[in-house]
């Protein structure tokens, strides 16, 4: 059986097969390689592996067959060149950013991103001398170029952001990034590769929290960084990225650009610099759990989308609901972007809505029976949260406003239950 990694099979097929050829026992399920280290055949082989003359396993902080299969499979589904798994989405995002920016550099980010990522970029990276500037995802042409300068190493955004669900006009961003030779990173966690393929629209790197829809059952944390094909061409000899073009003292003076004929240097450096020296590696057990989720992701994400659309349609008609934010609704301001960028106009399972007051929002959240109050998304079970007091409570009032969050906003992550039951539950909670 071939590993199906580089060919033209569909995403659905690749999600089940890519990256795995039977091991010696011919197990059909991907085996869990539950080990820390690997035995070398000879000392010479060990030396060659350490010197990167021969690629292969050394230690599970850097590589492990189980999470390698996950990384390869995700890259195949995404249509990318290479994928690296990490211990969480947050670790994956940190590694992707740190792979490009260092002390004195800056990152340009969208005003509508996951609260944790915003805190990482604005506060944590600042402590390491990496600065940030924000652009307005709803006014790319009016704001993005104003914040780009010679220190800019990354343009970071989300394809579908929440809680005021919005969709990025991806091609407007990548067109500007290409003009300046800057790497774009797109967090595609909520859309998943089955609804949106960032590389088709010029994005360079896709990052994921696998803890959400890919796992699908809220049972394991994980993250991934996937690079597009030919990303090497943007990095090699680009003066913006000295880390890939000058000797790395921590790796025998290696210049990553010299590997570019044979290897995806962004992902290789992500392993040799960040997994090696920071170590937030995915456990083989969690990689296996996430592989189970990936097998059914295509079916689930479509069902999440259909259920969410039915719920959104119901909420839109309810007198106690002020606003419903769901791009699948024809009257939503992002509907045309959804049609342009998303497969079959499926908009994933997140929606938010506003009621009349904070008190009313609290009452509705507490009265729901099926929806659990959980600070998570992408579970098979339906979840509800009040962003202003929880997931986004670290944000200032101005940042909250910019992200489209008010004290009256309720976010739902629509699960795989019957949509009739979800609607009945929302109705009783609103009318209580
Ligand atoms: C959850 C989430 C993250 C962080 O991922 P973890 O796996 O929880 O570390 C990043 N981006 C988005 C869009 C998310 O929803």
């Amino acid at each position: 059986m071939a590993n199906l990694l580089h060919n033209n099979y569909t995403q659905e097929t690749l999600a089940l097969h890519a990256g795995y050829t039977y091991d010696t026992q011919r197990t059909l399920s991907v085996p869990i390689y539950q080990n820390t280290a690997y035995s070398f055949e000879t000392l010479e082989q060990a030396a060659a592996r350490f010197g990167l003359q021969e690629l292969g396993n050394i230690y599970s902080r850097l590589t492990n067959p189980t999470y390698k299969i996950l990384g390869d499979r995700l890259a195949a589904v995404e249509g990318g060149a290479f994928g690296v798994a990490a211990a969480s989405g947050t670790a994956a995002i940190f590694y992707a950013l740190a792979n490009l920016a260092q002390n004195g550099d800056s990152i340009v980010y969208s005003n509508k991103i996951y609260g944790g990522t915003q805190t990482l970029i604005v506060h944590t990276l600042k402590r390491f001398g990496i600065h940030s500037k924000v652009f307005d995802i709803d006014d790319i042409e009016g704001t993005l170029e104003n914040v780009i300068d010679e220190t800019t190493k990354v343009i970071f955004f989300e394809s579908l952001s929440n809680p005021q669900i919005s969709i990025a006009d991806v091609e407007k961003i990548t067109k500007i990034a290409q003009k300046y030779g800057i790497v774009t990173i797109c967090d595609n966690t909520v859309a998943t590769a089955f609804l949106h393929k960032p590389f088709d629209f010029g994005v360079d790197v896709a990052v994921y929290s696998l803890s959400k829809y890919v796992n699908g059952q809220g049972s394991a944390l994980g993250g991934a960084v996937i690079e597009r094909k030919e990303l090497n061409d943007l990095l090699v000899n680009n003066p913006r990225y000295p880390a890939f073009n000058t000797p790395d003292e921590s790796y025998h003076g290696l210049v990553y650009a010299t590997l570019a004929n044979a290897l995806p240097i962004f992902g290789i450096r992500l392993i040799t610099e960040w997994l090696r020296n920071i170590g937030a590696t995915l456990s083989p057990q969690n990689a296996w759990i996430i592989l189970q989720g990936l097998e059914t992701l295509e079916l689930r994400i479509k069902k999440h989308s259909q259920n969410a659309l039915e719920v959104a349609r119901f909420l839109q008609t309810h007198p106690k609901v002020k606003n419903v934010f769901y791009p699948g609704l024809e009257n939503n301001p992002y509907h045309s972007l959804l049609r342009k960028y998303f497969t079959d106009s499926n908009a994933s399972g997140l929606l938010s809505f506003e009621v009349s007051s904070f008190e009313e929002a609290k009452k509705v959240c507490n009265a729901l029976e099926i929806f659990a109050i959980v600070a998570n998304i992408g579970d098979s079970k339906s979840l509800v949260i009040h962003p202003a007091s929880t997931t986004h409570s670290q944000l200032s009032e101005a940042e909250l406003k910019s992200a489209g969050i008010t004290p009256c906003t309720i976010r739902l992550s629509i699960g795989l239950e019957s949509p009739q039951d979800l609607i009945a539950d929302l109705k009783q909670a609103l009318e209580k």
Side-chain angles (χ1 to χ4, degrees):
M1 185 176 128
N3 78 1
L4 304 188
L5 210 47
H6 298 289
N7 56 44
N8 295 321
Y9 288 110
T10 58
Q11 284 178 298
E12 290 88 327
T13 302
L14 294 169
L16 290 157
H17 295 283
Y20 179 55
T21 46
Y22 299 133
D23 76 344
T24 51
Q25 303 303 318
R26 298 185 63 78
T27 64
L28 187 58
S29 171
V30 169
I32 301 172
Y33 285 90
Q34 191 66 49
N35 75 303
T36 311
Y38 305 85
S39 119
F40 304 110
E41 282 173 37
T42 61
L43 196 55
E44 287 76 11
Q45 183 186 50
R49 296 236 175 126
F50 271 79
L52 284 185
Q53 288 97 21
E54 176 186 310
L55 290 184
N57 292 320
I58 298 175
Y59 190 69
S60 279
R61 174 156 30 79
L62 294 99
T63 57
N64 171 284
T66 309
Y67 72 64
K68 182 176 188 311
I69 291 163
L70 175 63
D72 288 348
R73 191 165 289 184
L74 288 165
V77 170
E78 195 80 31
F82 193 58
V84 181
S88 67
T90 304
I93 292 168
F94 171 73
Y95 289 165
L97 295 171
N99 213 18
L100 297 162
Q102 59 181 23
N103 182 20
D105 293 339
S106 66
I107 291 167
V108 165
Y109 68 98
S110 150
N111 60 324
K112 290 184 181 170
I113 56 173
Y114 180 69
T117 309
Q118 212 241 8
T119 308
L120 165 68
I121 291 175
V122 176
H123 299 287
T124 308
L125 291 180
K126 191 163 86 186
R127 299 191 228 285
F128 295 85
I130 299 171
H131 296 276
S132 59
K133 286 182 187 151
V134 66
F135 73 99
D136 183 350
I137 193 86
D138 298 312
D139 183 17
I140 293 162
E141 278 148 341
T143 59
L144 180 52
E145 280 192 89
N146 299 342
V147 291
I148 290 174
D149 61 29
E150 68 283 357
T151 68
T152 309
K153 305 296 159 124
V154 180
I155 300 171
F156 184 95
F157 66 100
E158 294 178 358
S159 48
L160 198 174
S161 67
N162 81 89
Q164 199 223 48
I165 321 299
S166 59
I167 290 179
D169 197 337
V170 183
E171 282 181 335
K172 278 192 185 157
I173 298 172
T174 55
K175 207 173 136 220
I176 292 170
Q178 280 157 12
K179 181 170 150 192
Y180 292 91
I182 299 171
V183 173
T184 47
I185 301 180
C186 173
D187 183 335
N188 201 35
T189 297
V190 180
T192 81
F194 284 104
L195 300 190
H196 173 68
K197 292 180 82 184
F199 302 147
D200 288 354
F201 305 100
V203 167
D204 298 306
V205 175
V207 289
Y208 281 95
S209 169
L210 305 174
S211 328
K212 313 295 170 55
Y213 287 106
V214 180
N215 166 274
Q217 301 191 320
S219 58
L221 285 168
V225 181
I226 303 161
E227 71 188 86
R228 72 167 165 88
K229 292 170 184 157
E230 279 103 42
L231 178 59
N232 285 353
D233 296 345
L234 177 58
L235 298 173
V236 173
N237 293 328
N238 185 338
R240 228 178 252 279
Y241 300 107
F244 291 91
N245 293 290
T246 53
D248 180 351
E249 280 168 31
S250 76
Y251 226 105
H252 327 294
L254 171 74
V255 179
Y256 283 92
T258 62
L259 305 174
N261 284 338
L263 296 169
I265 58 174
F266 185 86
I268 293 297
R269 185 168 184 269
L270 208 110
I271 296 170
T272 55
E273 176 79 22
W274 301 105
L275 284 186
R276 183 174 67 125
N277 300 325
I278 305 291
T281 305
L282 186 62
S283 76
Q285 185 83 40
N286 279 1
W288 184 87
I289 291 169
I290 292 165
L291 279 164
Q292 309 314 299
L294 184 56
E295 293 196 356
T296 58
L297 177 60
E298 192 246 352
L299 294 170
R300 289 185 290 105
I301 198 72
K302 280 187 188 160
K303 176 70 173 156
H304 281 291
S305 303
Q306 288 160 7
N307 280 2
L309 183 58
E310 286 196 40
V311 170
R313 289 212 168 111
F314 159 74
L315 288 171
Q316 212 175 17
T317 62
H318 199 281
K320 288 213 167 163
V321 174
K322 303 284 165 216
N323 276 310
V324 182
F325 303 98
Y326 187 68
L329 295 171
E330 289 77 9
N331 61 356
N332 182 276
Y334 299 98
H335 191 67
S336 59
L337 291 175
L338 180 77
R339 295 183 72 124
K340 175 169 181 188
Y341 290 116
F342 278 56
T343 312
D344 299 331
S345 301
N346 279 315
S348 192
L350 299 192
L351 66 87
S352 63
F353 64 101
E354 284 171 5
V355 289
S356 57
S357 66
F358 179 32
E359 284 309 308
E360 181 74 12
K362 263 195 286 197
K363 187 209 80 181
V364 172
C365 291
N366 287 328
L368 285 164
E369 289 174 358
I370 300 174
F371 289 81
I373 303 175
V374 174
N376 195 15
I377 58 168
D379 199 293
S380 51
K381 302 175 185 74
S382 287
L383 314 174
V384 61
I385 201 76
H386 180 256
S389 59
T390 57
T391 51
H392 289 64
S393 58
Q394 249 76 275
L395 270 58
S396 70
E397 226 153 271
E399 287 169 333
L400 281 175
K401 194 160 177 259
S402 165
I405 302 161
T406 77
C408 311
T409 308
I410 295 172
R411 183 192 71 196
L412 303 179
S413 174
I414 301 296
L416 301 174
E417 300 92 343
S418 142
Q420 284 73 34
D421 291 342
L422 297 177
I423 288 168
D425 191 19
L426 283 159
K427 189 168 186 307
Q428 66 78 23
L430 282 161
E431 289 165 16
K432 205 160 192 156

